[in-house]
Amino acid sequence: MRSAVVLFPGSNRDHDMVKALHDVTGNRPTVVWHQDATLPDVDLIVLPGGFSYGDYLRCGAIAARSPAMLDVARKAKAGVRVLGVCNGFQILTEAGLLPGALMRNAHLRFVCKEVKLRVINNATDFTRAYAKGQVIRCPVAHHDGNYFADPETLARLEDDGRVAFRYAEGTNPNGSINDIAGILNEAGNVLGMMPHPENLIEALHGGLDGRGLFESVIQAVAA
Amino acid sequence: MFQNDIDITPDLIARHGLKPDEYERILRLIGKKPTLTELGIFSAMWNEHCSYKSSKKWLKTLPTKGDKVVIGPGENAGVIDIGDGDVAIFKMESHNHPSYIEPYQGATTGVGGILRDVFTMGARPIAAMNSLSFGEPDHPKTRHLVAGVVAGVGGYGNSFGVPTVGGEVRFHARYNGNCLVNAFALGIARRDGIFLSEAKGVGLPVVYLGAKTGRDGVGGATMASAEFDDTIEEKRPTVQVGDPFTEKRLLEACLELMKTGAVVAIQDMGAAGLTCSAVEMGAKGNLGIRLDLDRVPQREEDMTPYEMMLSESQERMLMVLEPSKEKEAEAVFRKWELDFAVCGETTDDLRFRIIWQGKEVADLPIKELGDEAPEYDRPWVEPRKAAPLAADAIPAVNDVGAALIRLIGAPDQASRAWVYEQYDCLVQGNSAQIPGGDAGVVRVEGTQKALAMSADVTPRYCDADPFEGGKQAVAESWRNVTAVGGDPIALTDNLNFGNPEKPEAMGQFVRALQGIAEACRALDFPIVSGNVSLYNETNGEGILPSPTIVGVGLLPDVTRMATIAFKADGDEVILVGGHGSHLGQSVYLRDLHGREEGTPPPVDLALEKKNGDFVRGLIASGRVATCHDLSDGGLGVALAEMAMAGRRGVRVELGSRVPQVAVFAEDQARYLIAVKPGEAAAILADAARAGVSAERIGTVGGDAVDFGAAGKASVADLKAAYDGWFPAFMSGKA
C-alpha cells in the first residue's frame, strides 16, 4: 500500500503518522510539502495532526487554501482515500471536503487523554478491520474538537451511516454533537477524525487499537 | 528623535538596575562616559539574571564532572552521553517574574526559551517538563495564575509538538506574591552534531534568523532581577509574547540548516536578546562583533538602537555563517517563511560595535562586557532552622483510612490530571510514561533505550533546613528516576530563592547549594546545566527556598521499566528501606493538623544509594515491574497512588506500630515494590545479602487500602477525593 502525508508549516504529528504508516503497512509514505501542487498517485493521502499556521485565524483555515489541498480535493473527488486526523480533520472541513465545523472544546481547554470510541460504521475502507459496535481505546489531543453541524446536515450524516466513530462510555472529551468523533464524506472515501489512532499502534503506547484503521485501508486496497 | 549622547544621571543608572559602584566599574572598564545604548547594553549584561553576579561564587563549588558528561554548565544546555553516539541535551530555566505579571505569556515564553536553548545546540526536543509553585489556593490571585500558566505551558508546547511528560504543581502561602514557573526541555542529538555559540573566524557574516524584532520585552532581564512591589502591573510591557508556530518553523529550519554545514556558531536570543547573544558569541570566540541594526528585521517602525539591543522578542537566533553556504542557508529559511538577514560580521578588534542609521551608537570592549561583570561575595548568615518536634507533640488519628482520604484529597496531594491533561504528552509517539507516575519516560526513537526524568524539590523541607532540603531535592529526583528503572546520569537545577542582598536569604542559598553538592557527589549525579532565579520576593517577603532539580537517567531497555500501578491481585508488597518514624515537616502534620513544624527528614545518602541501586537492579533484571518511591505522605499516600493507578486494593499489616507514624512518616530512601507471590522470598533473601532493609508488608487485592484494625479507605473513596479537588478548586467550588 502506497501513501502520502501532506506537511504544512506547523504540522507536528506528521512524524507519528509517517511512523505508524511505515510500521503497519511496511511502506514508508511520501511526505509532500504543502507548496507542491501535485501529489503522487497513492492509495491513501493523510493530512496529519498539529497546529498548521499555529491555528491562527481558525484551525485549518489557512492550510485548507494551500496548493497541495487543491490537488487533494481533485483526487478526493476522483475517489482517492483521504484521511484527516485532528488538525487534518479541521483542514478537511475548512476545505469543504467534509461538512460541519470543529469548534473550541466545550470546556475551553486543550485536552490530551485516552477516550473510548465506538465503531459505528465498519463498512468503510477505514474501519473494515473493526467489528460494528466495537469499542476501542484511542487518545485525543486537541483544543478544537467540538464537532458541530446544522440539523439537516447532521440528519444526513446519521441517516447515511457517515458517522464512523462516536465517543463511547461517557468519554466525549470536547462536547461534540451526538458524540461524533469521526465522519465520512458522501462517497465514503474521505474520513476526518479528532482522535489519534497513530498514537496507539505498539506495545510502548500501551495498546494496539489504532492499528485497525491502517489495517482496514490495507484490506481495502487488496480487495 | 533618539538621543544617544545624554546625561547619565544617578536616576538613569538606578532605573537600569545598576548600583553606583557598578557604574563606576563601567567607567573604569570603558574609559569614557557611556552612551544611552551602551548603558542599556551594560544593564542587560550585568543584571543578576544574565551575569549570575551573586551566585557565581557558589555555583563554582557544584560537582559538574562525570564519565558521561560531554558538556557541563556554561553552554546553552548540558550534554550527556547516552551511548551509541547519541547525546541528550537538557536544561531547566525559570520564568517566574514574567509569569506572575502576565501568566499566559510568561509561561509560553518560558517554554519557548528553554526549547530554543536545546535546539540551538542541534538537538530535536523530545520531552518537556515543568515545576510550578503557586500561592495558597484561596488567595484571590491563585486561580487566575494557575489557569493562565497551565494554558500557557500547554499552548506553547502543544503547538510546538513536544510531549510534556512530567512535572510538579504545589501551593503555599509563601508564593502568594511570586509564583514559580520552571520549564525544562530535553533533546537528542548525535555526539558529533553538537553546535556551540563560540564564534570562529574573522570577517565572517553574522546572520539574524527567525522572527522580527519588536519592542516587546525591552528590559525584561533587568525586571527579572528586582524584587516586586505594588507597582508590578506597570511592568506588564516588559513581558514578551510567544509564538509557538514561528518557533516550530525555526526548529525545523535550524535543524535543516545545521545539516548543510553553514553554521559556524549559533546562539538563541533569550534574555537581553541581540545584546546577550552577540556578546556571548564574540567573547567566547575571542572575536569582536559589528552589528548593523538597519539590517535587522523589524516588526515596528522607528525603533531606536536602545530598544533593538534590549528587545526580548522571541523566536530569534543569531549565527555565524560559513560564507560559501549563504545561498543554501537562505533558501532553507525562505522555505519556512522566516527572516534571514546578514546583519553584521566578526572582527579581530575585540570590540562590540553597533551601527544605526549609518552612525556608531555603541563601541564597547566585548570581553569585558561578557567576562568582567561584577562578582559578589554576598554576606550571609546561618539560616534559621526549624526546631525538632517532640515525639509526644505528634497528634494521633482514630482512623488512618479516613486520614488518608483527607490527605489524598488535599491541594498538594490531589491528582494533577486537570493540569497535565492540558499538555500533549503523546506527540512524537515515544512516550513510555506520562504524568502521574514517578518519572516521565521517553524512548529514544529507533532504539530500545529510553530516558527517564523527574522534577523535584520539597520547599518546606528547604525552608526548615536548607542544607537537608537541598540534599533531599537531589535524592528525591534520583529516587524517582530509579523507581522507573532508570540509571541516573546527571541533573539540571533551577535555583529559586529570595533577595540575595539579605543575609538570611543568601544563607538559605549557600546552605541549600552545599546540600545539593553533597548529594550530587554521594550519588555520582553531576550538574550539567542550570539557572538561578533570585529576588523572588514581594513587599519584602521571600518565597520558600525552592531549588528545583530535574534528574535524567537512562533505561537501557524500555521493556524493563516499572510503573506505580498494582498489576494483579495476590502480588506481594515489599517495603524497601524499612518503616518510618519521622513526622517533622510532614504533610500529615500540615494538612491534617495545620502545623508546619519540626525538622525535615534527614537524608542518609549512603543508604539512599544502597537502597536505590538494589531496586534498580530488580527492575533491570525483569523481576519487578511495579515500584513507587515514598515521599510526601509516606507509605499511606504511596499505597493509595498504587491502588488507584491499578484499580485494586491492598491489605497491609502494621503489626504493633503506631498507625499514623507507620503510615505517614516521610523518612527518605524508601520504595514500595510489588512482586508475584512466588518471587517475594527470593527477593527478600537478595535484599538481606545486599544489606538492604526489606520486608513483606502486605498483599494486593480487595477494593480498599486496608490497614486492618488501624482503618481502611476504599479505592473508590480515595479516587473521588484524589480526582475531585483540582477541578472543584478551579471551578470555584473547593
Side-chain angles (χ1 to χ4, degrees):
Chain A
M1 187 192 118
R2 298 155 306 150
S3 58
V5 174
V6 185
L7 184 61
F8 303 94
S11 296
N12 66 28
R13 266 189 171 77
D14 50 305
H15 168 91
D16 310 41
M17 186 56 79
V18 166
K19 197 163 58 161
L21 286 165
H22 189 194
D23 283 5
V24 184
T25 72
N27 295 327
R28 224 183 147 69
T30 308
V31 175
V32 179
W33 184 238
H34 70 118
Q35 294 287 8
D36 295 348
T38 312
L39 275 73
D41 284 323
V42 291
D43 303 306
L44 173 70
I45 296 168
V46 184
L47 310 182
F51 288 68
S52 60
Y53 293 94
D55 276 358
Y56 302 152
L57 185 57
R58 271 193 323 274
C59 305
I62 304 175
R65 280 139 188 92
S66 59
M69 281 308 293
L70 291 173
D71 198 41
V72 170
R74 268 192 298 272
K75 289 192 157 73
K77 206 166 188 179
V80 176
R81 295 173 201 86
V82 178
L83 167 66
V85 171
C86 200
N87 190 224
F89 186 11
Q90 295 162 342
I91 294 169
L92 287 171
T93 60
E94 285 287 345
L97 293 174
L98 288 173
L102 292 147
M103 306 188 301
R104 184 131 287 202
N105 296 344
H107 49 64
L108 305 181
R109 297 186 301 275
F110 186 95
V111 60
C112 175
K113 66 197 291 194
E114 188 177 296
V115 299
K116 300 277 174 57
L117 298 180
R118 189 177 301 280
V119 181
I120 303 302
N121 181 352
N122 76 328
T124 82
D125 284 2
F126 303 98
T127 55
R128 58 202 288 161
Y130 297 116
K132 188 175 168 66
Q134 184 181 347
V135 174
I136 62 170
R137 299 164 48 204
C138 200
V140 295
H142 59 249
H143 210 154
D144 301 80
N146 183 359
Y147 183 76
F148 181 80
D150 61 69
E152 299 84 63
T153 307
L154 197 62
R156 266 204 311 280
L157 287 174
E158 294 285 0
D159 294 347
D160 297 350
R162 286 166 58 192
V163 175
F165 299 105
R166 247 191 260 285
Y167 300 110
E169 299 176 6
T171 62
N172 183 341
N174 53 40
S176 72
I177 197 159
N178 290 10
D179 293 329
I180 284 172
I183 58 165
L184 297 150
N185 67 343
E186 222 171 315
N189 66 315
V190 177
L191 170 69
M193 63 190 294
M194 289 312 298
H196 290 284
E198 73 275 23
N199 282 139
L200 202 64
I201 59 145
E202 56 167 319
L204 184 94
H205 300 156
L208 307 175
D209 286 7
R211 293 182 79 91
L213 188 124
F214 304 100
E215 284 160 355
S216 295
V217 182
I218 296 174
Q219 288 178 18
V221 170
Chain B
M1 185 61 197
F2 173 68
Q3 287 282 326
N4 198 37
D5 289 305
I6 61 165
D7 197 20
I8 307 290
T9 63
D11 178 54
L12 189 67
I13 293 165
R15 277 192 283 128
H16 280 78
L18 292 162
K19 299 270 153 58
D21 57 325
E22 291 175 338
Y23 181 68
E24 290 303 315
R25 189 184 175 92
I26 291 171
L27 292 179
R28 277 199 307 279
L29 278 174
I30 67 174
K32 62 171 184 180
K33 180 178 79 80
T35 65
L36 178 59
T37 304
E38 288 171 342
L39 185 70
I41 288 171
F42 267 104
S43 82
M45 291 302 298
W46 282 15
N47 62 63
E48 188 68 53
H49 184 83
C50 293
S51 72
Y52 296 95
K53 58 191 171 191
S54 302
S55 59
K56 211 186 279 174
K57 170 186 159 82
W58 299 100
L59 296 177
K60 286 176 189 160
T61 65
L62 294 171
T64 59
K65 298 208 162 44
D67 293 351
K68 293 186 177 153
V69 176
V70 179
I71 298 176
E75 280 296 332
N76 284 298
V79 184
I80 58 169
D81 191 332
I82 56 166
D84 314 305
D86 298 322
V87 292
I89 301 184
F90 59 91
K91 190 184 178 186
M92 185 169 233
E93 200 161 83
S94 63
H95 237 211
N96 305 336
H97 291 79
S99 299
Y100 190 76
I101 297 173
E102 168 51 56
Y104 186 93
Q105 294 301 344
T108 62
T109 51
V111 174
I114 199 66
L115 289 167
R116 255 183 336 274
D117 275 337
V118 165
F119 72 78
T120 194
M121 295 188 74
R124 178 177 287 278
I126 64 161
M129 301 218 297
N130 53 78
S131 173
L132 312 177
S133 305
F134 298 103
E136 59 197 331
D138 54 8
H139 186 273
K141 259 189 101 97
T142 300
R143 261 187 214 97
H144 158 74
L145 291 171
V146 173
V149 166
V150 171
V153 168
Y156 206 97
N158 299 345
S159 178
F160 178 83
V162 63
T164 298
V165 296
E168 47 175 9
V169 179
R170 73 177 57 82
F171 299 93
H172 196 283
R174 294 269 294 278
Y175 303 106
N176 279 351
N178 194 130
C179 63
L180 301 184
V181 175
N182 294 177
F184 165 91
L186 178 146
I188 297 287
R190 296 294 293 170
R191 188 168 179 151
D192 56 9
I194 301 169
F195 288 81
L196 301 176
S197 57
E198 178 187 333
K200 289 180 189 140
V202 174
L204 296 186
V206 172
V207 183
Y208 176 108
L209 305 170
K212 294 186 192 334
T213 293
R215 290 192 170 92
D216 49 332
V218 170
T222 307
M223 173 273 292
S225 302
E227 272 190 45
F228 278 167
D229 54 32
D230 294 326
T231 64
I232 57 157
E233 288 299 323
E234 294 166 16
K235 303 208 172 178
R236 201 183 297 273
T238 58
V239 178
Q240 318 86 319
V241 177
D243 175 2
F245 173 56
T246 297
E247 180 109 326
K248 167 69 170 164
R249 289 180 295 146
L250 186 60
L251 161 76
E252 299 300 340
C254 282
L255 294 185
E256 229 175 286
L257 180 72
M258 286 164 174
K259 287 186 197 147
T260 66
V263 181
V264 175
I266 187 162
Q267 173 71 32
D268 77 298
M269 293 191 219
L274 210 42
T275 294
C276 246
S277 57
V279 171
E280 178 102 10
M281 291 171 84
K284 274 199 176 142
N286 284 315
L287 292 168
I289 301 265
R290 194 184 56 79
L291 289 181
D292 182 350
L293 296 185
D294 300 323
R295 295 162 80 176
V296 167
Q298 293 161 46
R299 200 170 61 213
E300 297 173 57
E301 286 178 0
D302 303 324
M303 288 186 70
T304 68
Y306 178 89
E307 289 168 329
M308 289 167 72
M309 292 312 292
L310 295 196
S311 163
E312 294 192 358
S313 291
Q314 300 288 292
E315 293 91 24
R316 302 181 299 163
M317 296 264 191
L318 203 61
M319 78 157 172
V320 178
L321 173 76
E322 164 53 48
S324 66
K325 303 274 187 182
E326 183 171 339
K327 286 234 149 29
E328 208 179 331
E330 185 167 356
V332 170
F333 274 72
R334 295 288 170 243
K335 174 187 152 191
W336 290 98
E337 298 172 43
L338 291 164
D339 274 302
F340 179 101
V342 175
C343 67
E345 62 173 351
T346 56
T347 63
D348 62 0
D349 60 5
L350 288 175
R351 304 295 293 185
F352 185 42
R353 293 177 201 273
I354 309 299
I355 315 297
W356 176 71
Q357 296 189 347
K359 293 189 299 280
E360 193 169 86
V361 291
D363 174 9
L364 294 168
I366 202 162
K367 294 290 280 182
E368 283 76 1
L369 256 180
D371 302 341
E372 297 288 327
E375 191 178 325
Y376 295 123
D377 184 0
R378 301 271 192 205
W380 60 278
V381 295
E382 193 62 45
R384 171 189 42 80
K385 281 198 223 171
L389 203 63
D392 58 2
I394 297 165
V397 286
N398 292 329
D399 177 351
V400 291
L404 184 56
I405 292 170
R406 280 177 62 199
L407 215 47
I408 206 82
D412 270 5
Q413 287 79 249
S415 168
R416 268 55 186 138
W418 186 92
V419 174
Y420 63 72
E421 284 180 0
Q422 295 185 58
Y423 305 149
D424 191 336
C425 55
L426 301 173
V427 63
Q428 299 188 19
N430 290 308
S431 302
Q433 277 200 52
I434 62 174
D438 277 329
V441 182
V442 178
R443 174 180 58 191
V444 178
E445 185 147 321
T447 74
Q448 282 290 90
K449 289 185 292 199
L451 292 163
M453 55 209 89
S454 177
D456 296 285
V457 62
T458 312
R460 64 180 191 278
Y461 292 175
C462 297
D463 194 53
D465 184 338
F467 180 77
E468 283 300 322
K471 277 166 64 184
Q472 195 273 342
V474 174
E476 185 171 351
S477 183
W478 186 90
R479 199 183 311 140
N480 279 323
V481 168
T482 293
V484 298
D487 192 2
I489 296 179
L491 62 88
T492 182
D493 60 10
N494 200 146
L495 308 168
N496 307 278
F497 288 84
N499 182 347
E501 295 165 44
K502 296 181 180 170
E504 171 90 10
M506 194 63 205
Q508 291 178 328
F509 180 80
V510 170
R511 282 294 186 226
L513 246 68
Q514 288 171 343
I516 289 169
E518 183 164 306
C520 289
R521 274 189 291 270
L523 299 171
D524 192 15
F525 202 27
I527 296 168
V528 294
S529 57
N531 169 244
V532 181
S533 173
L534 303 175
Y535 297 97
N536 290 289
E537 298 205 358
T538 300
N539 293 331
E541 195 191 12
I543 57 162
L544 294 175
S546 309
T548 314
I549 303 294
V550 179
V552 175
L554 180 71
L555 284 86
D557 178 356
V558 72
T559 64
R560 298 220 164 148
M561 175 180 83
T563 61
I564 68 168
F566 284 139
K567 310 280 186 302
D569 287 357
D571 282 359
E572 309 232 45
V573 180
I574 295 172
L575 174 62
V576 176
H579 274 287
S581 61
H582 194 99
L583 278 169
Q585 294 299 333
S586 64
V587 296
Y588 170 81
L589 270 188
R590 184 192 66 186
D591 292 346
L592 297 183
H593 303 286
R595 292 166 51 181
E596 294 183 51
E597 294 170 26
T599 54
V603 182
D604 178 339
L605 293 163
L607 188 67
E608 193 74 64
K609 181 142 175 55
K610 185 167 69 171
N611 293 354
D613 289 349
F614 176 71
V615 167
R616 193 181 318 104
L618 291 177
I619 299 168
S621 67
R623 295 164 79 191
V624 168
T626 303
C627 181
H628 194 5
D629 86 307
L630 269 55
S631 55
D632 284 355
L635 178 67
V637 164
L639 285 167
E641 289 172 344
M642 297 173 88
M644 290 187 290
R647 294 167 194 280
R648 59 188 80 238
V650 58
R651 284 176 295 272
V652 180
E653 298 292 331
L654 295 177
S656 59
R657 291 186 175 79
V658 179
Q660 71 270 13
V661 177
V663 176
F664 298 118
E666 296 183 5
D667 296 63
Q668 302 290 298
R670 299 192 298 156
Y671 303 79
L672 279 171
I673 56 175
V675 303
K676 293 198 183 63
E679 298 269 343
I683 287 173
L684 292 175
D686 286 352
R689 265 193 296 280
V692 169
S693 159
E695 64 180 285
R696 207 194 69 85
I697 62 159
T699 310
V700 176
D703 58 6
V705 177
D706 187 344
F707 298 102
K712 70 173 179 179
S714 80
V715 178
D717 288 348
L718 286 166
K719 189 103 176 90
Y722 183 67
D723 291 343
W725 184 81
F726 223 113
F729 165 60
M730 290 309 293
S731 63
K733 292 177 195 134

